[in-house]
Amino acid sequence: MQLLKWPDKVRSDYFLNKHFSGESIHYKGIIGLTIPIFVDQAFLIIMSLLNTAMISSSGVAAVSAVSMVDSLNIFLVNVFIAVATGGTVIVAQYKGQGNHEMVSKTATQAISAVTLLSVFVSVVMIVFHSGTLNVLFGKADVEVFHNATIYLIGSCLSYPFLAIFQAVNGVLRGVGETKPCLGLSLIINLVNTFLNLIFIVFLGMGVTGLVISVIIARIIGMTAALVYLIKYNETIRFRIKDALHIDLSILKKVMFIGIPFAAEQLFFNGGKLLTQTFIVQLGTLAMTAYAIGNTIVMILQVAPNALCIAIVTVVGQCMGRKNIADSRKFIKSFLGLSGVLFIASAILVLPFYPLLAKLFSLPAEIVPTVFILVLMSAITQPLLWPASFLLPGALRAAGDSTFTSVTAMFTMWLIRVVLGYILGITLGFGIIGVWAAMIIEWVVRGGIFHLRFKGKKWYAHNLI
């Protein structure tokens, strides 16, 4: 007897409806939300690879300096991005509830809060830049330290422009408008890469050229974001005069998510920053291996990172409708899809490692070390990364911000930092030991979040 076969379209439609459709959102809405984010993330990584390759042409000292300061940049920038995420969550929940007036008010207040915070961070860091670099990277080579000073001051000057850009993108994602985010991202990254090509490659300005490119690109990106929000967006009615008025009742809701997340980012990235100081002790080549290894691993994380961003909007809108069943269903589906995407990414990327090594002008002696780092991540990420990073984002979107932040802080400092020092420095495993400690931290962190997700406390919060 001949078996009946479903057409491919019917089978795919059945699968997508089963795993990615619910009462709150249809799978077509999720696809429309996620694909622009994925393209944006892919573009960001491609631009990052090109920019890293360009600064690599200025020498190992330049790469090491940029890597060092970028660790500090991530530490600082994520503080105000965390507040922007609070805005994303609250905007998403009001969007799910159908309260359009509060969507606009919350978006405006989130942008104001992020702007003020970024200006404060920028001023403090410029004033104390020398002492900060001495404490963190005082053992670095003189040339590396000089380049790091130039890059840090330039980065700080650009913080407010980046903050406004990120805040606008955050509120747009909250209402599910990811296509404009993609367009804005293309503008800022294309400008940055084009200017890097001129200042670094053609004019040979090194780190100074990188700084000029970053500042100009972020000014243009901020301007484009505000012009779009004020003139062309119909969902969020943003006006400058409303942004100058502070509404404490709205800010309190945004900060309920933003402050714990900001604290998490401070401690989490502070732990990564401290880990970087271990690596400084291992020498410039170890710092370069760590920097390039992280850059290549970012390629593997493109698609899963897109899901991490999308899940905040999806769960936030589900929680705005008080639909717990949809939230659970989508979280499980996103976790499974993230693991599959990691496997696909590894299969596609690993064969091209020799080409990537040439792209970054890697010294021959660290080519095997970088490959080991990348391979360690490729093997472990499908099982460990989604529960460690995607799941807490989903819990946070439901309002469970304090638990997720405290967990992330403790696992980072008690496992990744302490164990990283023991394995990397005390026991002499070097950069491999530091990397292994990171993976062990994923195991513990992901296990705790998984247990939290199985319970009921994560959705027992009333944000709006």
Side-chain angles (χ1 to χ4, degrees):
M1 187 175 90
Q2 187 176 5
L3 295 175
L4 292 174
K5 292 185 178 181
W6 289 2
D8 290 341
K9 188 177 185 307
V10 174
R11 283 202 300 269
S12 63
D13 194 67
Y14 172 78
F15 175 83
L16 291 170
N17 268 312
K18 181 179 179 181
H19 296 285
F20 294 96
S21 286
E23 294 178 2
S24 305
I25 306 175
H26 189 263
Y27 78 77
K28 292 182 179 178
I30 290 180
I31 291 174
L33 171 72
T34 306
I35 286 181
I37 297 176
F38 169 74
V39 175
D40 180 27
Q41 291 297 298
F43 193 81
L44 284 172
I45 298 303
I46 292 171
M47 294 300 101
S48 176
L49 287 172
L50 291 174
N51 290 336
T52 304
M54 281 188 269
I55 198 63
S56 296
S57 66
S58 299
V60 172
V63 175
S64 298
V66 171
S67 173
M68 284 165 42
V69 175
D70 272 342
S71 298
L72 184 56
N73 278 335
I74 291 170
F75 173 74
L76 296 169
V77 168
N78 273 296
V79 174
F80 51 81
I81 289 181
V83 177
T85 301
T88 303
V89 171
I90 305 301
V91 165
Q93 292 207 10
Y94 276 126
K95 174 69 173 178
Q97 190 185 65
N99 191 333
H100 302 296
E101 181 180 357
M102 287 306 297
V103 165
S104 296
K105 287 184 178 180
T106 303
T108 301
Q109 291 300 303
I111 293 170
S112 298
V114 172
T115 303
L116 292 173
L117 183 59
S118 66
V119 171
F120 174 77
V121 171
S122 179
V123 171
V124 170
M125 284 309 303
I126 290 173
V127 171
F128 296 104
H129 74 275
S130 181
T132 303
L133 288 174
N134 271 310
V135 169
L136 294 173
F137 309 116
K139 295 182 180 180
D141 295 341
V142 174
E143 187 181 358
V144 173
F145 195 89
H146 174 70
N147 283 328
T149 302
I150 296 171
Y151 187 45
L152 177 58
I153 294 174
S155 297
C156 290
L157 290 173
S158 73
Y159 285 170
F161 313 126
L162 178 63
I164 295 171
F165 178 85
Q166 293 287 1
V168 171
N169 275 272
V171 297
L172 288 173
R173 283 194 294 267
V175 296
E177 296 183 17
T178 54
K179 288 182 180 178
C181 297
L182 172 59
L184 293 171
S185 180
L186 288 174
I187 291 171
I188 194 171
N189 283 288
L190 282 174
V191 169
N192 192 21
T193 302
F194 175 72
L195 293 176
N196 279 341
L197 192 64
I198 294 174
F199 292 123
I200 298 173
V201 178
F202 293 148
L203 299 181
M205 296 175 65
V207 173
T208 302
L210 180 65
V211 165
I212 296 171
S213 299
V214 165
I215 293 173
I216 294 175
R218 289 177 177 178
I219 290 174
I220 293 173
M222 175 200 70
T223 303
L226 289 176
V227 168
Y228 172 78
L229 198 61
I230 294 170
K231 285 197 170 185
Y232 300 104
N233 184 268
E234 298 178 356
T235 306
I236 300 171
R237 296 181 295 277
F238 177 85
R239 292 182 297 181
I240 297 293
K241 69 175 184 179
D242 293 335
L244 298 176
H245 170 72
I246 301 299
D247 189 322
L248 293 179
S249 64
I250 295 176
L251 279 183
K252 184 178 178 181
K253 296 174 183 177
V254 173
M255 293 302 176
F256 181 81
I257 301 295
I259 288 179
F261 192 28
E264 173 192 334
Q265 293 301 304
L266 280 172
F267 279 88
F268 187 79
N269 289 298
K272 292 173 71 174
L273 193 59
L274 184 57
T275 302
Q276 191 91 340
T277 64
F278 303 163
I279 299 166
V280 170
Q281 299 177 39
L282 299 173
T284 302
L285 285 177
M287 292 164 59
T288 303
Y290 184 76
I292 303 301
N294 270 313
T295 302
I296 296 175
V297 167
M298 284 167 57
I299 303 173
L300 304 178
Q301 297 173 354
V302 171
N305 269 328
L307 295 183
C308 284
I309 296 170
I311 195 68
V312 173
T313 300
V314 172
V315 172
Q317 292 191 11
C318 289
M319 294 305 298
R321 294 172 176 263
K322 307 298 181 186
N323 195 323
I324 310 302
D326 270 3
S327 294
R328 281 193 181 276
K329 174 182 179 178
F330 290 133
I331 292 170
K332 290 178 181 178
S333 297
F334 272 56
L335 287 171
L337 179 58
S338 181
V340 171
L341 291 172
F342 265 124
I343 294 171
S345 298
I347 292 172
L348 290 172
V349 171
L350 288 179
F352 293 97
Y353 175 74
L355 182 62
L356 291 171
K358 290 181 180 178
L359 177 67
F360 293 119
S361 306
L362 279 179
E365 55 266 47
I366 64 171
V367 170
T369 302
V370 174
F371 181 72
I372 291 173
L373 300 181
V374 173
L375 188 62
M376 288 170 67
S377 294
I379 293 171
T380 56
Q381 280 177 329
L383 291 175
L384 304 178
W385 196 94
S388 299
F389 294 96
L390 188 147
L391 186 52
L395 300 182
R396 189 175 293 109
D400 200 24
S401 185
T402 301
F403 178 85
T404 55
S405 297
V406 170
T407 299
M409 287 188 284
F410 274 97
T411 57
M412 162 59 78
W413 282 84
L414 294 179
I415 299 174
R416 192 185 298 194
V417 173
V418 175
L419 191 59
Y421 186 84
I422 293 172
L423 293 177
I425 306 300
T426 306
L427 298 180
F429 288 104
I431 194 72
I432 304 296
V434 175
W435 204 271
M438 174 185 71
I439 293 171
I440 294 169
E441 189 252 345
W442 293 352
V443 176
V444 178
R445 172 187 166 102
I448 294 172
F449 288 137
H450 181 70
L451 290 174
R452 182 72 166 184
F453 178 58
K454 290 176 68 176
K456 298 179 180 179
K457 291 183 179 181
W458 64 273
Y459 57 81
H461 303 274
N462 292 314
L463 298 182
I464 61 173

